[in-house]
Amino acid sequence: MKTIPLKIGVLVSGGGSNLQAIIDAVRRHRIKAEISIVISNKADAYALTRAGKYRIPTLYVDPKNYKDREAYTRAITDELKNRGVGLVCLAGFMCILTSYFIKNFPLQAMNIHPALLPAFGGAGMYGHHVHEAVLRSGAKYSGCTVHFVDEGCDTGPIILQQMVPVKDGDTVDTLAKRILSVEHRLYPLAIKYFAAGKLQVVGKRVCLLK
Ligand code: GRF
């Protein structure tokens, strides 16, 4: 009997290096799934070009065409649903979607955050702000977190985390670069576990089944 592969939708806003890591893992059959759609809120996101190179369908959904965040969320959610997407991966997506999205993809949407949650997360903690806050704090370690998306901001159940050292003399750029290369390993791994049905969520804890 042939099984229908998991369909992934990826939401992006920028360079898409995490998208690239996911594409590579799918192409190498490390993840048993297919990427059905890449959606961006920015017309010029390089992530769209990356997807286009592999003939992955792309969609630019302009927030300006919608009266509010709720209408915008509904448009994106409906696009994903209509394509039969079973997992949504937020990969540098700089828009906050409303609970309509979460209700349609309960424990079926993931995000990657460039720090060790629950530290250095929440409102305003994105991009360089995260690394600035880590450097200011004097923390010896940062890292990245893949988590399920819930109604809060960076509060969903944590799937995988990896520590990355903060080195003397680090700048936002050197730290961000060190963390990003770890993200590229961690995000595909979390998706691989999801696609293989190996993630079990018990309250806030995500257990990895053998
Ligand atoms: C990454 O640092 C990720 O942790 C954060 O946004 C950035 C996206 O980078 N959520 P890219 O577009 O995947 O290169």
Side-chain angles (χ1 to χ4, degrees):
M1 196 178 74
K2 231 180 151 212
T3 50
I4 301 161
L6 171 71
K7 293 181 184 214
I8 298 176
V10 187
L11 305 187
V12 295
S13 300
S17 67
N18 277 289
L19 168 67
Q20 186 68 58
I22 298 166
I23 292 173
D24 292 346
V26 169
R27 284 170 62 84
R28 288 177 193 140
H29 306 288
R30 295 210 175 117
I31 297 174
K32 304 247 176 312
E34 61 182 44
I35 303 173
S36 299
I37 184 77
V38 173
I39 302 180
S40 174
N41 64 326
K42 300 265 185 224
D44 60 353
Y46 183 63
L48 293 175
T49 309
R50 289 186 195 265
K53 281 187 192 158
Y54 301 92
R55 301 188 189 285
I56 297 168
T58 60
L59 202 60
Y60 160 51
V61 187
D62 185 354
K64 287 201 278 307
N65 291 342
Y66 299 86
K67 71 172 183 342
D68 55 20
R69 210 151 56 87
E70 184 60 29
Y72 187 66
T73 299
R74 280 174 187 265
I76 289 192
T77 305
D78 295 348
E79 288 290 353
L80 293 163
K81 279 278 165 200
N82 291 340
R83 287 177 165 80
V85 164
L87 175 67
V88 185
C89 296
L90 276 52
F93 185 61
M94 302 297 278
C95 264
I96 295 178
L97 301 175
T98 67
S99 58
Y100 181 80
F101 171 74
I102 318 295
K103 288 199 179 91
N104 275 278
F105 291 101
L107 298 175
Q108 288 180 304
M110 291 181 184
N111 181 42
I112 185 149
H113 184 78
L116 293 176
L117 293 173
F120 306 109
M125 280 291 172
Y126 60 89
H128 64 97
H129 300 291
V130 179
H131 307 299
E132 268 163 17
V134 169
L135 290 173
R136 255 199 321 273
S137 76
K140 296 289 186 194
Y141 290 93
S142 187
C144 50
T145 304
V146 183
H147 63 92
F148 282 116
V149 179
D150 70 1
E151 307 252 348
C153 186
D154 299 329
T155 55
I158 292 170
I159 302 165
L160 291 175
Q161 290 188 299
Q162 189 169 331
M163 281 196 332
V164 171
V166 180
K167 297 188 178 171
D168 296 345
D170 256 345
T171 62
V172 164
D173 288 344
T174 58
L175 181 58
K177 198 170 157 208
R178 195 175 307 121
I179 292 173
L180 197 60
S181 69
V182 175
E183 291 181 33
H184 297 158
R185 190 191 72 81
L186 209 66
Y187 210 175
L189 188 61
I191 298 167
K192 174 186 157 162
Y193 289 148
F194 181 94
K198 290 198 166 175
L199 301 178
Q200 188 186 48
V201 186
V202 183
K204 283 285 270 187
R205 180 138 199 114
V206 182
C207 303
L208 182 59
L209 302 175
K210 296 263 180 247

